[in-house]
Amino acid sequence: MAQVLEFKLPDLGEGLTEAEIVRWLVEVGDVVAIDQPVVEVETAKAMVEVPCPYGGVVTARFGEEGSELPVGAPLLTVAVGATEAAASPAPSTSSASGASSAGAPAAEESSAGSGNVLVGYGTGAPAARRRRIRPERVGTPAAPAPVVEPEPVPVAVPAATGEVNGQQGPVAVVSPLVRRLARQHEIDLRRLTGSGPDGLILRADVDSAIREAEEAARAQTRTAATEPAVAEAPTAVAAAPAAAERIPLRGVRGAVADKLSRSRSEIPDATCWVDADATELMAARAAMNAASGPSGGPKVSVLALLARICTAALARYPELNSTVDTAAREIVRLPGVHLGFAAQTERGLVVPVVRDAHTRNAESIGAEIARLTELARTGKLSPAQLTGGTFTLNNYGVFGVDGSTPIINHPEAAMLGVGRIMPKPWVHNGELAVRQVVQLSLTFDHRVCDGGTAGGFLRYVADCVEQPAVLLRTL
C-alpha cells in the first residue's frame, strides 16, 4: 500500500510569507523523483523552482497558475511507493490488509527524505500524514466507471448554456442534425418541449421554434418602424460605462509597494541636489576603455565609476552608510558597503546588491554590476542577491530624465540619484562653453545626519565627477 505525503510550500528564506504559482512543472499522475523541481513560484524577490523532497506519483495539486499561496500551505500530494505498487500484480480484496502492512516499511524507506534541504524541511523523516490510497490511484486500477461521451453542445450560442426555471441539465436531443439546426438559428433547446417519445426534441419542434422566432423578429421590426425617431435618443444614453481595470498588488509589484510605503511612513527624508560638469569623467572613462596592452582590460561603465565614487564618499561620511533601529532607538553604522543599484526589468523594479563594494575597484564593481544585471533580466536573481544593501545608487538618467527625488530603499539611510549626462552651456575657466552636465540628487534619512553631512557627501561626489583625479587621494 502506498503512502500519501503532503508537500507544503516551504519557507524560501528572507522572511517571505507567500509566493505566486507561475508554472506547474508536473501534472497529476506524473512520477517525480526526490529533489525534482515540481513548481516555479515567484516571491517578492525572485523566481524560484521548488524541488519536492519525496519521490512517487503526484496525486493532487493545490492552486492554479497565477494564484498566491502562503508559506506552509499544501502544494501537492505524492503517493510514495505508488510506482512499485503499480508495477506489481494487484492484491486481491481479501489480502489487501496484509499487503498494506507489508508495504509500510518500504514506504517509510522511500520517504526517508530529500538531500535538497529547504528552510523548514530537513533530510530526516518528514512529518507527514498517512492517507489511504483509493484503488484507482495506486496498484491495479479497479474497473473504471463508464464514461459517457457528451453530445456536441453549441458553444458559440449564449443561449445554449442558459437555465430553465433556474435549473440546468441535459437536453433531450439525439440527432446532431437537430442540434446543428438549432445552433445555426440560435434556438435554445432547453426552452423547447419535445413532441417525441419521453419528451425527445425532434426536427419539427426546432422548425416550429424557428418560425416563431422569425415571426417575433418581424413583429418587432414593424413596431420599431412605427415609433418616432426621437425615442432612440434615450437608448443611446443607456450604454453602460466601461469598467475600471483592477490589478492585484502582488509579487515584485506588491513587494515594491510595501517597501516604498514603509519608507515614506517611517523615514523623515530630505533631498538635496547639485549640477556637475561630467566632461572630465567622461574623458577619463574614454581613456580607460581605449587603453590596450598591459594597461588595458574590460570596458568600464559610467555606473561603475559612479559606484566607486560612492564608496569613496561613504568612507568620508559613514553616517550615510547606516540604518536606524527604531525599537532600540539607535543609529547603527555599518562596517561594510553593500551597494545596491536600481535595475528595471520586465518583472518590475529590483535592486541587486554588490557585496563588499568598498573593497572593489571600478573594474571589479563594473563586472559584478554586469553579472547581476543579466541575472535580473532573466529573472534568476536569488533572494540573497536582492537583500542586505546598505546604500543604493539609482541611475534614472537611462530613462532620459534629468532629476528626481528618489525614495530611500528601506531600511537604508540614503540613496544617490543620477540624471542623464547631456551637453549644456556651462561656464568653464571663465568662459561659456558646451560641457557634459549631470544632475546629482541625494535623498537621506534626516535622523542619521544633518544637512551639513549630506551636503558634504554630495559635494564630494560632484567634485570627483568634475575632477576624477580627486579619487587618487584615496587609492
Side-chain angles (χ1 to χ4, degrees), residues 184-202:
Q184 290 174 347
H185 291 82
E186 298 184 354
I187 300 299
D188 185 359
L189 292 173
R190 298 181 186 276
R191 298 185 178 276
L192 299 185
T193 301
S195 59
D198 298 326
L200 185 67
I201 298 176
L202 305 177

Side-chain angles (χ1 to χ4, degrees), residues 317 444 446 449-459:
Y317 299 93
F444 63 98
H446 227 313
C449 68
D450 296 326
T453 301
F457 174 93
L458 186 59
R459 187 64 258 172

Side-chain angles (χ1 to χ4, degrees), residues 255-404:
V256 170
D258 293 341
K259 177 161 278 196
L260 296 181
S261 299
R262 185 176 182 184
S263 177
R264 276 297 191 207
S265 63
E266 291 187 11
I267 299 177
D269 58 348
T271 302
C272 53
W273 58 89
V274 65
D275 290 339
D277 181 1
T279 306
E280 296 299 329
L281 181 68
M282 301 301 290
R285 173 176 175 265
M288 292 179 194
N289 294 337
S292 59
S295 59
K299 302 293 184 182
V300 177
S301 66
V302 175
L303 188 63
L305 293 175
L306 291 170
R308 180 64 185 89
I309 291 173
C310 283
T311 59
L314 290 172
R316 284 176 168 254
Y317 299 93
E319 297 91 336
L320 295 171
N321 192 57
S322 61
T323 187
V324 175
D325 186 342
T326 54
R329 293 185 61 81
E330 293 176 343
I331 297 174
V332 182
R333 290 191 183 177
L334 304 171
V337 178
H338 303 311
L339 187 68
F341 64 95
Q344 191 70 36
T345 69
E346 292 182 358
R347 297 175 58 235
L349 178 67
V350 295
V351 184
V353 178
V354 178
R355 302 287 170 183
D356 299 316
H358 61 289
T359 64
R360 300 172 181 261
N361 57 26
E363 186 176 296
S364 174
I365 293 176
E368 184 66 0
I369 288 176
R371 185 183 74 87
L372 293 173
T373 300
E374 182 59 29
L375 290 175
R377 287 173 179 167
T378 56
K380 296 181 179 179
L381 284 171
S382 67
Q385 292 169 323
L386 290 165
T387 54
T390 63
F391 184 91
T392 298
L393 177 62
N394 187 359
N395 180 22
Y396 44 75
V398 296
F399 302 116
V401 297
D402 297 329
S404 175

Side-chain angles (χ1 to χ4, degrees), residues 135-231:
E136 62 270 22
R137 293 292 180 130
V138 297
T140 302
V147 179
V148 180
E149 292 293 334
E151 292 287 344
V153 180
V155 177
V157 182
T161 58
E163 297 185 357
V164 179
N165 299 326
Q167 298 180 351
Q168 289 186 340
V171 180
V173 179
V174 174
S175 172
L177 296 177
V178 174
R179 288 183 177 274
R180 184 174 64 181
L181 182 64
R183 181 171 63 249
Q184 290 174 347
H185 291 82
E186 298 184 354
I187 300 299
D188 185 359
L189 292 173
R190 298 181 186 276
R191 298 185 178 276
L192 299 185
T193 301
S195 59
D198 298 326
L200 185 67
I201 298 176
L202 305 177
R203 177 165 183 170
D205 301 323
V206 176
D207 289 336
S208 176
I210 293 173
R211 288 192 296 270
E212 292 178 1
E214 290 176 347
E215 291 176 2
R218 284 194 294 269
Q220 184 177 3
T221 302
R222 289 193 297 269
T223 303
T226 57
E227 291 180 354
V230 182

